[in-house]
Amino acid sequence: MRWISLFVVFSMAGLAACGDSAARQAAALPAACELAPVATIQDILRESVKNPTPANAGVGELSACTYTLPARSLDDYLGIYVLPPRSPRDAVQLQALAEEWKERNAGAAYQLLSDAEHPEAWFPGEYKVYPSTFIILFDKASLVITGVALDDARAIAFQAMVQHQWQ
């Protein structure tokens, strides 16, 4: 009986340590508005980007930030969302996150992109219905970037990865 008690105690301590480790890792992630300097985002988008504004994080998000894009309409904006890392980083985890965003995107279809090292998904967007949405899973964070073209979203994500040493 004593061995069983010790096993239970050590098992619970191990689970608590794993939970604490994940919580510490998530707490160490930068806020969405701090992922990349505005000047860097402007260089990537080749247009003016203004007013990084922290937004209320939704379900599962650690932080969110919106940027106005003054060269576009008043309805257009860039959105960046920081989420905890998904483990393991595989197609199943990517699809689960994409399904969560599918609900936000009016049930829109998405495509899983083939990048063996960093699983990615893409919603192409439909004007006035839902914004384009790019999802990528890094080893230390998951990112969702909305409102810009696929290549631009990918460039912003990889810039954040390099800047914050998520490789």
Side-chain angles (χ1 to χ4, degrees):
M1 186 66 165
R2 187 169 126 178
W3 291 107
I4 293 172
S5 297
L6 284 174
F7 176 75
V8 170
V9 168
F10 283 117
S11 296
M12 296 303 279
L15 289 174
C18 289
D20 288 346
S21 175
R24 279 193 304 272
Q25 186 176 14
L29 291 173
C33 289
E34 298 168 3
L35 279 183
V38 171
T40 300
I41 296 173
Q42 286 182 149
D43 288 345
I44 291 168
L45 297 180
R46 299 162 307 283
E47 68 180 283
S48 180
V49 175
K50 299 201 182 281
N51 306 325
T53 306
N56 291 332
V59 177
E61 300 159 13
L62 300 173
S63 65
C65 187
T66 60
Y67 299 78
T68 58
L69 303 168
R72 302 182 191 192
S73 76
L74 295 176
D75 296 337
D76 290 339
Y77 67 91
L78 163 65
I80 299 177
Y81 305 84
V82 177
L83 295 89
R86 298 272 175 143
S87 183
R89 288 182 311 126
D90 61 15
V92 173
Q93 289 294 327
L94 177 63
Q95 192 161 8
L97 184 55
E99 286 294 321
E100 292 173 26
W101 280 83
K102 181 178 181 175
E103 290 180 30
R104 297 182 192 196
N105 287 342
Y110 60 88
Q111 49 189 198
L112 300 178
L113 306 177
S114 59
D115 181 335
E117 190 172 352
H118 306 287
E120 302 174 351
W122 172 248
F123 294 82
E126 187 174 328
Y127 189 66
K128 300 269 186 190
V129 177
Y130 70 94
S132 59
T133 304
F134 175 69
I135 301 169
I136 187 165
L137 306 182
F138 291 116
D139 62 342
K140 296 184 181 169
S142 299
L143 296 180
V144 176
I145 300 173
T146 65
V148 296
L150 174 60
D151 289 340
D152 294 336
R154 193 177 269 148
I156 292 168
F158 281 101
Q159 177 65 37
M161 178 194 78
V162 169
Q163 182 172 337
H164 299 286
Q165 301 173 352
W166 292 342
Q167 57 249 55

mmCIF file of all heavy atoms in Angstrom, residues 68 129 142:
data_model
loop_
_atom_site.group_PDB
_atom_site.id
_atom_site.type_symbol
_atom_site.label_atom_id
_atom_site.label_comp_id
_atom_site.label_asym_id
_atom_site.label_seq_id
_atom_site.Cartn_x
_atom_site.Cartn_y
_atom_site.Cartn_z
ATOM 1 N N THR A 68 -4.122 48.823 -37.755
ATOM 2 C CA THR A 68 -4.884 49.410 -38.849
ATOM 3 C C THR A 68 -4.014 49.443 -40.092
ATOM 4 O O THR A 68 -2.795 49.553 -40.018
ATOM 5 C CB THR A 68 -5.382 50.831 -38.510
ATOM 6 O OG1 THR A 68 -4.259 51.656 -38.203
ATOM 7 C CG2 THR A 68 -6.342 50.831 -37.333
ATOM 8 N N VAL A 129 -16.858 38.889 -45.241
ATOM 9 C CA VAL A 129 -17.415 37.714 -44.577
ATOM 10 C C VAL A 129 -16.460 37.244 -43.484
ATOM 11 O O VAL A 129 -16.849 37.122 -42.331
ATOM 12 C CB VAL A 129 -17.700 36.571 -45.584
ATOM 13 C CG1 VAL A 129 -18.222 35.330 -44.866
ATOM 14 C CG2 VAL A 129 -18.683 37.037 -46.650
ATOM 15 N N SER A 142 2.191 29.005 -30.999
ATOM 16 C CA SER A 142 1.345 28.872 -32.185
ATOM 17 C C SER A 142 0.882 30.278 -32.527
ATOM 18 O O SER A 142 0.593 31.068 -31.620
ATOM 19 C CB SER A 142 0.135 27.982 -31.900
ATOM 20 O OG SER A 142 0.555 26.687 -31.535
#
